[in-house]
Amino acid sequence: PYYADDQWHLRAPDGSAEPEPATGGTVPNRGGANVAKAWNLADGSGITVAVLDTGITRHPDLDTSLADAGYDFITDAFVSGRAADGRVPGGWDTGDWTTDPKYYVATDPAKGCVDPGDPDNLPSDSSWHGTHVAGTVAELTDNGRGEAGVAPRARLLPVRVLGHCGGYDSDISDAIVWAAGGHVEGVPDNRHPAQVINLSLGGAGKCKASDPTAQAIAKARTLGAVVVVAAGNAGDNAAQYTPASCPGALTVAATG
């Protein structure tokens, strides 16, 4: 029911007037993906999409049947929020809040990411970003509930690589290989290899073919997976961000 009014980004980019909640006015839709035409060709049936993000939460408009089969690749307890270091089974999102003072730069200069005196770096509640991304990928559709997904019949394999204060490239690289069906030492092999790996994440820096992330993407491609990456989300040249600039990544930008 929210597809027609709210999901301009999935409809045709036809310039039609769309509500702009921030101003109460309208803006022309110049950036839609026109998925209705794509649905005539494919709906994700038979495809597993691994979402490498903050994990997933239970939601009535999502199929979370593979959540237990996913994995939490965050090694550092500071980032994972667990009592001890180490990776654990399950792709569930346990939160990435930074309101606890232990995440402040003043408390932990080496790992902290929050400075209450910086208006651009304030404490925040959990983002549940992985659930948001999972919904965009494969929210249940034509069920009279919520919104629509781009590939509504795809199966979601959540892999947690982002937590409190972000995540490590080493964890992300291992997760890419594992999601595609490759072996990662110390982790049981993935019984549901993904044909598509989604990374709506990134950081500053150019990616070279010799970098571990680029090597992980290359390995995933040899295993038959497409690795889709956000351009950077900064209104900037994607060549300045990683993994957006890694060889072999299918990098996606916004247009409006």
Side-chain angles (χ1 to χ4, degrees):
Y2 297 146
Y3 170 73
D5 292 333
D6 294 347
Q7 293 189 276
W8 61 268
H9 54 298
L10 297 192
R11 297 195 302 275
D14 56 8
S16 59
E18 300 284 348
E20 175 49 69
T23 64
T26 62
V27 293
N29 176 7
R30 304 195 191 282
N34 198 11
V35 296
K37 291 292 184 68
W39 288 332
N40 292 328
L41 302 174
D43 58 11
S45 295
I47 298 297
T48 297
V49 180
V51 177
L52 276 55
D53 212 287
T54 65
I56 201 170
T57 58
R58 298 189 188 278
H59 191 284
D61 212 18
L62 287 175
D63 177 1
T64 59
S65 60
L66 291 184
D68 285 331
Y71 221 84
D72 186 333
F73 267 80
I74 301 175
T75 306
D76 190 335
F78 181 87
V79 178
S80 71
R82 292 188 291 275
D85 291 344
R87 295 165 174 169
V88 298
W92 298 104
D93 187 343
T94 56
D96 61 356
W97 71 90
T98 56
T99 52
D100 190 317
K102 73 177 182 179
Y103 298 114
Y104 292 12
V105 173
T107 305
D108 191 332
K111 295 182 179 180
C113 60
V114 172
D115 181 357
D118 182 352
D120 296 323
N121 202 20
L122 296 174
S124 63
D125 294 329
S126 294
S127 66
W128 313 118
H129 187 263
T131 298
H132 169 88
V133 173
T136 301
V137 171
E139 189 158 354
L140 300 178
T141 304
D142 288 334
N143 60 348
R145 184 196 297 269
E147 297 183 342
V150 172
R153 294 191 181 277
R155 301 187 75 193
L156 291 165
L157 180 71
V159 184
R160 188 173 184 235
V161 296
L162 301 177
H164 307 273
C165 290
Y168 288 105
D169 288 346
S170 54
D171 291 337
I172 294 169
S173 297
D174 280 353
I176 291 171
V177 173
W178 181 86
H183 180 70
V184 174
E185 196 66 34
V187 178
D189 289 346
N190 175 17
R191 295 180 290 111
H192 305 275
Q195 290 75 47
V196 180
I197 300 172
N198 186 92
L199 297 102
S200 293
L201 54 81
K206 295 183 178 181
C207 180
K208 303 185 295 295
S210 58
D211 291 346
T213 305
Q215 293 179 3
I217 291 173
K219 176 66 174 178
R221 293 183 69 200
T222 64
L223 292 168
V226 177
V227 182
V228 186
V229 180
N233 210 28
D236 199 2
N237 189 338
Q240 307 301 322
Y241 295 85
T242 187
S245 60
C246 290
L250 178 60
T251 302
V252 181
T255 58

